[in-house]
Amino acid sequence: MENKNSVNSRKLVSVKGKALKDLFTDPDVIAAKVDGRIVDLSTSLNGGKEVEPVSMHSKEGLEILRHSTAHVMAEAVKALFPDARPTIGPATDEGFYYDFDRDTPFSSEDLASIEKKMQDIIASDKPFIRKEIPKEDAVRYFTDQHEPYKVEILNDIEDDTVSLYTQGDFTDLCRGPHIPSTGYIKAFKLLSVAGAYWRGDEHNKMLQRIYGTAFASKEELDKYLEFLEESKKRDHRKLGRELELFMMSDEVGPGLIIYLPKGGMLRSILEDFEKRLHLKRGYDIVYGPGILKGELWKISGHMDNYRENMYFTEVDNQLYGIKPMNCLSHILIYRSKIRSYRDLPLRYFELGTVTRHEKSGVLHGLLRVRQFTQDDAHIFCMPDQLIDEIISIINLVDEVMALFGFDYETEISTRPEKSIGTDEEWELATNALKQALEVKGLEYDINEGDGAFYGPKIDIKLKDAIGRKWQCATIQCDFSLPQRFDLSYIGPDGQKHRPVMLHRVILGTIERFMGVLIEHYAGAFPTWLAPVQVVVMSITEAHSGYAGDIAQRLEEDDIRVELDTRNEKIGYKVREARAMKVPYMAIVGQREMDENTITLRDRSGKQEKTTVDDLISRIKSSVPEI
RNA sequence: GCCAGCGUAGCUCAGUGGCAGAGCAGCUGAUUCGUAAUCAGCAGGUCAAGGGUUCAAGUCCCUUCGCUGGCUCCA
């Protein structure tokens, strides 16, 4: 968000012995940076410092505003529900939440009354007062107040002094900073209630969380609420049904997708695209079986590290694991003959369908399912080829994301608790990933402990048309599995050496990527992806034959066409084709029949008279070069 | 898996313990029409499933299943 303060926003000042609030007259300034540290406006300066105002329109200011709104919400909740024990209430990327321990959960009616109470608190414009006290005093205070969660938090704080913030009747343990007074809150809304574990640990008690958001102005809040509405309209589950792409059924089971003809077409287009893409880049297409013997999963470490996500089946007294990943077959393909350093790198690509037992509560449309198809590949290479291979995968991701119109961010996930391999291997692997990103000049965040059990990974979060982030592509570096399966290649020295293995997906999974594409394009796929590219529609029965001829010519040129010669008015047919978000309509009546033309209407409603050949070449040229 | 809410026709949704409803979609017929809905008729239901309370349950209670929003987990 832009810092839109005009008068004194960027100015650095130097003062002595003055409260910061006297320096800034702009009512949007809610805090200040003193020598780079953000503090309350009520702070008094002693000595010359560099001071910069923080506006509630800035990212940092907005965070403070939201955090303060969370405190106001906690005050309201305590006033209305004295039995609710406050725990923590931070700002988030999109708003804030506060978690309470309470026997009876909040209802949506409760939200309305909490909101009303908050309005009162804001109207009374109570100041936020900061107090620094010794930790023992704070422990005593919160013990007296019967707030065990605050005491627990205090016990984890190492400092001797802690800060408390009080506004009105509510005092919270808090590092701050906060807005000067509650009246600074101009636009907020409570959004939902949810359960959340204390300290995010599923073994702990479940608390009651209230989500809300706040903005510097009513307009910005309204814009955000519109964004939420827009997201709902783009929901792939809704569009998936309306556009007849896929279905799910209680009779089949949760998290299992059935592709309807139009979704089947979309999937097949994506899969053809992927095959061409990979063949052109030195990958070999392979296929592995859906079930593999239990013994293999023991060797790989899946039995010890991934068991709760796997399905098993027993045939003829032999245990089989239904594959949750495609790597094992690819490893066996590598091991199927002696490899020379001259053969490397070897890149095996598989549109591999895997099955994972995901917890029932996490399933979500196409985005989180129990059986899905990955555009998976495993690259076996020499250690000194590793960086180049990672770089060329990043280049591929870059190219593909640009093609679909996605921007993206990258992060590196490091060693999780449950994992295999030595620390040295993990460090080597993690450094290789970092180095590749640095060579590419890409910035990345570190996601501690979030790697796969066999190696660290680069996660790519793509950003869709309305700014939401989705995890699809991932690149994982693995020294462990080659060792566990005793993979080797013969080097120039005639000796056996251990290859390194990269696991990677580009789209991630066909299911999730389709879900993201549906929301990204709001169902209006670009022509090359559209399951139906043209609907040929006749004005009356007299033009059915001509319409049929047009449709047939398109079909002969591999155009995905539907023919609509129903006994309906043209307005009705146009309406339906628009609802199905078909890129082109070819409308034919007496005029077109006489001239051997079509009237071509595109999705924007633009119309022109043209020929079938022109339409065919337009559609053909929409297919991207890869 | 956990917390909360929800589950009525293919879809969207009314139905406040007393006869199971509407619009759209579907089917049949009429209409032959130039760019977001032509008219009429017909058909469509184990009210998620099972149990209970009641003279009477879509409605109240319990259990199970599923979905939605979160939490934890994840492509």
Side-chain angles (χ1 to χ4, degrees):
Chain A
M1 208 155 291
E2 283 304 304
N3 187 332
K4 73 165 202 186
N5 268 327
S6 50
V7 190
N8 50 14
S9 65
R10 300 266 175 216
K11 208 162 59 180
L12 297 179
V13 290
S14 185
V15 279
K16 253 181 199 170
K18 235 184 154 182
L20 282 166
K21 60 169 168 279
D22 300 329
L23 292 174
F24 306 113
T25 49
D26 189 326
D28 284 350
V29 173
I30 55 171
K33 263 191 200 171
V34 176
D35 293 339
R37 225 184 50 145
I38 303 188
V39 297
D40 296 319
L41 279 190
S42 58
T43 310
S44 291
L45 288 178
N46 43 4
K49 311 248 176 162
E50 281 200 335
V51 179
E52 195 182 354
V54 174
S55 159
M56 61 167 100
H57 293 279
S58 70
K59 191 165 176 260
E60 289 158 325
L62 193 58
E63 195 179 318
I64 293 168
L65 175 73
R66 287 168 172 172
H67 185 189
S68 299
T69 312
H71 276 231
V72 169
M73 181 171 82
E75 180 181 355
V77 167
K78 273 202 87 173
L80 295 167
F81 309 96
D83 61 321
R85 305 266 76 89
T87 66
I88 55 161
T92 63
D93 286 348
E94 310 227 303
F96 62 86
Y97 64 81
Y98 211 114
D99 286 347
F100 301 92
D101 182 9
R102 184 170 183 246
D103 291 337
T104 31
F106 300 105
S107 66
S108 18
E109 293 82 62
D110 292 339
L111 283 195
S113 54
I114 295 166
E115 230 171 47
K116 197 157 171 292
K117 186 78 190 168
M118 288 172 71
Q119 296 288 10
D120 296 344
I121 295 167
I122 291 165
S124 67
D125 198 18
K126 299 269 171 51
F128 277 81
I129 298 160
R130 180 189 173 95
K131 208 159 74 180
E132 287 182 18
I133 60 169
K135 195 172 101 174
E136 306 88 80
D137 293 0
V139 170
R140 209 171 308 125
Y141 172 77
F142 284 112
T143 307
D144 290 348
Q145 294 291 307
H146 306 289
E147 292 200 3
Y149 292 93
K150 297 295 172 189
V151 176
E152 191 178 328
I153 295 166
L154 277 166
N155 288 335
D156 286 350
I157 296 178
E158 291 184 359
D159 301 345
D160 296 332
T161 320
V162 296
S163 59
L164 304 185
Y165 275 84
T166 303
Q167 94 274 3
D169 302 326
F170 181 72
T171 297
D172 204 352
L173 171 67
C174 186
R175 204 177 283 126
H178 279 285
I179 54 177
S181 64
T182 58
Y184 277 72
I185 300 168
K186 302 290 183 230
F188 79 96
K189 188 168 172 58
L190 301 188
L191 298 169
S192 59
V193 288
Y197 300 108
W198 167 237
R199 300 200 148 170
D201 186 333
E202 63 181 319
H203 304 292
N204 285 344
K205 186 166 183 185
M206 183 152 282
L207 309 170
Q208 304 303 322
R209 174 172 297 181
I210 302 178
Y211 278 99
T213 193
F215 285 88
S217 69
K218 178 86 168 52
E219 292 72 45
E220 284 163 286
L221 174 64
D222 288 345
K223 223 172 99 195
Y224 176 73
L225 296 176
E226 268 168 43
F227 163 79
L228 292 182
E229 283 304 309
E230 177 63 22
S231 300
K232 245 186 233 168
K233 271 189 231 149
R234 288 168 177 255
D235 193 314
H236 73 281
R237 292 164 300 184
K238 181 176 175 294
L239 288 169
R241 192 168 41 237
E242 287 170 3
L243 304 181
E244 297 178 359
L245 297 172
F246 65 93
M247 61 176 272
M248 286 184 273
S249 159
D250 294 3
E251 293 174 282
V252 176
L256 302 170
I257 306 296
I258 295 177
Y259 289 84
L260 300 170
K262 291 198 169 86
M265 178 55 76
L266 178 57
R267 172 170 174 165
S268 134
I269 294 161
L270 284 171
E271 291 186 349
D272 288 348
F273 163 76
E274 290 248 48
K275 285 181 190 167
R276 284 187 291 133
L277 188 73
H278 284 88
L279 285 174
K280 281 198 173 170
R281 281 163 182 76
Y283 287 78
D284 298 313
I285 294 180
V286 299
Y287 294 94
I291 58 172
L292 297 89
K293 279 187 184 171
E295 191 55 36
L296 272 183
W297 299 109
K298 273 184 202 153
I299 297 171
S300 67
H302 283 81
M303 214 62 120
D304 290 333
N305 295 283
Y306 208 72
R307 197 190 187 113
E308 60 275 20
N309 283 295
M310 286 181 68
Y311 291 89
F312 291 93
T313 184
E314 208 180 290
V315 186
D316 295 340
N317 279 327
Q318 178 68 56
L319 181 69
Y320 284 84
I322 298 171
K323 71 171 173 181
M325 298 183 193
N326 301 301
C327 34
L328 294 202
S329 295
H330 298 190
I331 288 171
L332 296 187
I333 293 167
Y334 181 90
R335 218 180 53 178
S336 66
K337 61 184 208 184
I338 292 176
R339 303 294 176 180
S340 152
Y341 73 97
R342 297 173 195 275
D343 298 331
L344 302 183
L346 280 165
R347 309 182 185 96
Y348 298 136
F349 173 72
E350 177 176 2
L351 285 161
T353 302
V354 298
T355 312
R356 296 182 185 174
H357 180 254
E358 303 289 350
K359 289 178 180 176
S360 61
V362 307
L363 302 173
H364 181 93
L366 291 177
L367 300 178
R368 195 75 186 274
V369 294
R370 285 189 173 150
Q371 188 171 73
F372 50 92
T373 299
Q374 296 180 303
D375 61 334
D376 206 359
H378 294 89
I379 295 165
F380 299 87
C381 64
M382 294 184 276
D384 64 0
Q385 294 171 322
L386 189 55
I387 304 286
D388 282 347
E389 284 303 311
I390 297 170
I391 288 172
S392 61
I393 297 167
I394 295 170
N395 289 339
L396 182 54
V397 169
D398 199 59
E399 193 181 341
V400 172
M401 291 306 133
L403 184 63
F404 290 100
F406 293 116
D407 206 1
Y408 62 89
E409 289 171 2
T410 51
E411 60 187 39
I412 288 183
S413 294
T414 59
R415 183 169 197 165
E417 263 178 52
K418 256 191 150 183
S419 53
I420 57 175
T422 65
D423 287 344
E424 292 73 44
E425 286 163 357
W426 276 84
E427 204 186 320
L428 267 175
T430 309
N431 284 338
L433 295 176
K434 283 182 182 169
Q435 210 182 317
L437 285 178
E438 275 151 25
V439 169
K440 286 295 297 174
L442 290 167
E443 287 182 17
Y444 57 88
D445 291 329
I446 298 281
N447 202 349
E448 291 294 346
D450 222 22
F453 76 82
Y454 46 77
K457 55 181 185 171
I458 296 175
D459 283 330
I460 286 136
K461 304 232 153 121
L462 55 86
K463 283 192 271 183
D464 74 9
I466 58 173
R468 295 169 304 177
K469 289 177 200 168
W470 309 91
Q471 151 94 61
C472 290
T474 176
I475 306 167
Q476 308 172 347
C477 189
D478 180 3
F479 285 84
S480 295
L481 292 181
Q483 194 177 359
R484 287 189 167 226
F485 284 91
D486 195 25
L487 302 185
S488 64
Y489 63 89
I490 307 300
D493 57 359
Q495 301 296 306
K496 275 188 177 182
H497 298 274
R498 186 82 70 207
V500 190
M501 194 175 162
L502 288 166
H503 311 238
R504 46 108 284 184
V505 290
I506 305 296
L507 304 187
T509 74
I510 300 292
E511 283 76 8
R512 179 175 287 182
F513 198 74
M514 268 179 60
V516 172
L517 280 184
I518 292 168
E519 306 210 357
H520 178 57
Y521 295 125
F525 301 109
T527 305
W528 75 280
L529 286 175
V532 177
Q533 297 171 306
V534 196
V535 178
V536 180
M537 46 186 82
S538 53
I539 302 288
T540 76
E541 228 167 83
H543 321 113
S544 298
Y546 180 63
D549 293 344
I550 303 282
Q552 201 186 330
R553 279 179 63 193
L554 291 166
E555 202 161 27
E556 279 164 5
D557 265 283
D558 296 321
I559 304 298
R560 301 185 290 274
V561 60
E562 270 182 7
L563 178 63
D564 189 353
T565 52
R566 289 174 303 173
N567 181 10
E568 294 290 351
K569 289 185 173 177
I570 195 68
Y572 184 87
K573 296 180 187 180
V574 168
R575 181 186 145 83
E576 200 168 280
R578 282 184 60 115
M580 295 303 280
K581 302 181 192 276
V582 177
Y584 291 109
M585 297 176 216
I587 299 162
V588 296
Q590 196 58 46
R591 295 201 290 268
E592 290 79 3
M593 214 164 112
D594 293 343
E595 299 165 352
N596 196 25
T597 57
I598 56 173
T599 290
L600 188 63
R601 178 181 166 136
D602 68 16
R603 269 198 289 238
S604 71
K606 206 176 72 192
Q607 269 188 183
E608 60 189 301
K609 198 167 279 182
T610 186
T611 61
V612 182
D613 289 336
D614 175 48
L615 175 58
I616 290 169
S617 73
R618 281 194 208 199
I619 292 175
K620 296 260 181 204
S621 66
S622 74
V623 181
E625 299 284 329
I626 51 168

